[in-house]
């Protein structure tokens, strides 16, 4: 069997000549019947088709042994390392397929996964007796998850809250499957053995993962309006609150009798005659006091 590894580079040619004990012609073709690796030949079911998973594992074992024997920084070692990367790229596609539902592009996930594969190759030690995929898959998956954690949040939140978001999502799915309804914050707190305040903080932080455009329609049951339209709406009650806040110190500075008249007139909504009867003064006197008090308050508001 001839292993399908390119020999069109000087490093590759030197590696093949040294390992297989044959001279590679100028065209890069290996002599018929020659092998790349010394030792037992991997079992290949179909030499003309793509390598199977067992073929890849067998070739990776041989290449890792060869990588360990080569000196760091040499072209031959770099060639073996690059071959291992290309040979095990299907592992990256396998792990990336788990995240097809994410909003990130598949190509971006593949690039991050490839970085994880390279790290796995550099850290793997065949002396521990594990197959390379057993070590590589968690490493690739961890690199992709780290990318999601550090680069895909619309708003930066602490790592503690990012991890809490995942726990809350799992707890919500489990509760919904069991009770056929969405859980409350208190129920999530009991499920995760947390305080309600911690759950509320995690739910609030989860809203920072994605951000909608201001031109996107609001996703509620109200009128179909963009977020920008909703954000530009001014509640008329705000002006009333501001006026009451400005009036508070002005009313506090009034004499007690004027404050009482205001409370009876606008608080209990008594007539001027009823106020006069309570205070033991004439209705005309109440009218003058009320008019003078309101004029003073109006002047104080305009002056502010």
């Amino acid at each position: 069997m001839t292993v399908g590894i390119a020999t069109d580079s000087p490093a590759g040619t030197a590696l093949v000549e040294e390992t297989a004990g044959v001279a590679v012609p100028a065209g890069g073709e290996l002599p018929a019947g020659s092998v790349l690796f010394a030792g037992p030949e991997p079992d290949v079911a179909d030499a003309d088709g793509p390598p199977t998973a067992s073929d890849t594992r067998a070739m990776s074992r041989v290449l890792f042994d060869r990588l360990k024997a080569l000196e760091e920084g040499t072209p031959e070692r770099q060639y073996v390392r690059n071959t291992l990367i290309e040979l095990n790229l299907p592992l990256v596609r396998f792990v990336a397929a788990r995240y097809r539902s994410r909003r990130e592009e598949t190509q971006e996930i593949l690039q991050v996964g490839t970085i994880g594969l390279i790290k796995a190759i550099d850290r793997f030690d065949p002396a521990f007796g594990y197959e390379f995929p057993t070590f590589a898959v968690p490493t690739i998956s961890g690199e992709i998850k780290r990318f999601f954690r550090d680069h895909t949040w619309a708003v930066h939140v602490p790592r503690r809250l990012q991890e809490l978001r995942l726990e809350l999502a799992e707890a919500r799915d489990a509760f919904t499957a069991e009770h056929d309804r969405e859980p409350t914050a208190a129920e999530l707190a009991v499920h995760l053995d947390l305080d309600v305040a911690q759950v509320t903080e995690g739910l609030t932080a989860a809203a920072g993962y994605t951000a909608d455009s201001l031109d996107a329609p609001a996703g509620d049951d109200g009128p179909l309006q963009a977020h920008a339209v909703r954000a530009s709406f001014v509640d008329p009650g705000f002006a009333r609150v501001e006026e009451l806040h400005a009036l508070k110190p002005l009313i506090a500075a009034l004499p007690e009798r004027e404050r009482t008249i205001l409370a009876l007139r606008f608080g209990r909504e008594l007539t001027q005659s009823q106020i006069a009867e309570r205070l033991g003064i004439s209705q005309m006197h109440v009218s003058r006091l009320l008019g003078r008090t309101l004029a003073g308050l109006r002047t104080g508001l305009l002056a502010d």
Side-chain angles (χ1 to χ4, degrees):
M1 179 198 78
T2 302
V3 179
I5 298 177
T7 58
D8 54 356
S9 69
T13 301
L15 175 64
V16 172
E17 291 177 343
E18 178 183 352
T19 307
V22 296
V24 178
E29 298 279 341
L30 285 174
S34 62
V35 295
L36 176 59
F37 306 115
E41 181 176 345
D43 181 19
V44 179
D46 183 5
D48 296 328
T52 64
S54 59
D55 300 334
T56 301
R57 286 195 296 269
M59 287 188 284
S60 294
R61 282 194 294 268
V62 177
L63 285 170
F64 272 116
D65 290 339
R66 183 62 182 153
L67 188 70
K68 189 175 182 180
L70 292 171
E71 185 180 352
E72 187 79 31
T74 60
E76 291 79 8
R77 191 181 192 280
Q78 185 63 40
Y79 180 83
V80 174
R81 182 172 177 268
N82 292 344
T83 304
L84 276 168
I85 295 171
E86 295 179 12
L87 188 64
N88 289 279
L89 281 177
L91 289 176
V92 177
R93 291 190 286 270
F94 169 75
V95 176
R98 302 177 181 176
Y99 305 97
R100 280 184 299 221
S101 60
R102 306 282 301 209
R103 62 187 178 89
E104 289 77 18
E105 294 185 3
T106 302
Q107 189 60 37
E108 192 171 21
I109 297 176
L110 288 173
Q111 290 176 357
V112 176
T114 303
I115 295 174
L117 173 63
I118 295 172
K119 290 182 178 180
I121 289 173
D122 291 340
R123 298 170 184 170
F124 181 67
D125 187 353
F128 286 107
Y130 297 105
E131 292 285 355
F132 177 65
T134 305
F135 177 81
V137 169
T139 305
I140 297 169
S141 181
E143 191 70 24
I144 294 175
K145 290 179 180 178
R146 191 176 301 109
F147 169 75
F148 291 150
R149 184 193 70 204
D150 296 339
H151 299 285
T152 61
W153 281 72
V155 178
H156 178 73
V157 300
R159 181 175 178 179
R160 170 181 60 86
L161 295 179
Q162 294 181 13
E163 295 174 348
L164 180 58
R165 169 183 170 270
L166 299 177
E167 295 178 7
L168 289 172
E170 293 177 359
R172 184 189 295 111
D173 292 343
F175 187 95
T176 303
E178 182 178 352
H179 298 88
D180 198 25
R181 66 176 177 84
E182 287 286 326
T184 64
E187 290 168 334
L188 287 173
V190 172
H191 185 85
L192 295 174
D193 194 21
L194 297 173
D195 295 334
V196 177
Q198 291 177 294
V199 172
T200 303
E201 185 183 20
L203 294 174
T204 303
Y209 185 74
T210 58
D212 289 337
S213 169
L214 288 176
D215 296 326
D220 53 22
D221 297 331
L224 189 61
Q225 293 179 321
H227 290 295
V229 176
R230 295 285 183 89
S232 62
F233 172 75
V234 179
D235 192 329
F238 290 153
R240 183 176 179 83
V241 171
E242 291 178 354
E243 291 170 356
L244 291 175
H245 183 73
L247 274 172
K248 187 175 181 179
L250 298 177
I251 294 175
L254 292 173
E256 183 179 356
R257 185 174 61 174
E258 277 76 357
R259 292 201 306 272
T260 302
I261 292 174
L262 288 176
L264 294 174
R265 181 70 183 92
F266 299 102
R268 300 189 180 183
E269 297 183 350
L270 300 182
T271 65
Q272 292 184 9
S273 299
Q274 291 171 325
I275 296 173
E277 184 178 350
R278 286 201 175 195
L279 297 181
I281 58 178
S282 66
Q283 183 267 334
M284 184 65 67
H285 194 186
V286 170
S287 179
R288 286 198 299 269
L289 289 173
L290 187 60
R292 186 176 63 192
T293 300
L294 294 176
L297 293 175
R298 189 178 298 111
T299 301
L301 284 176
L302 294 175
D304 292 340

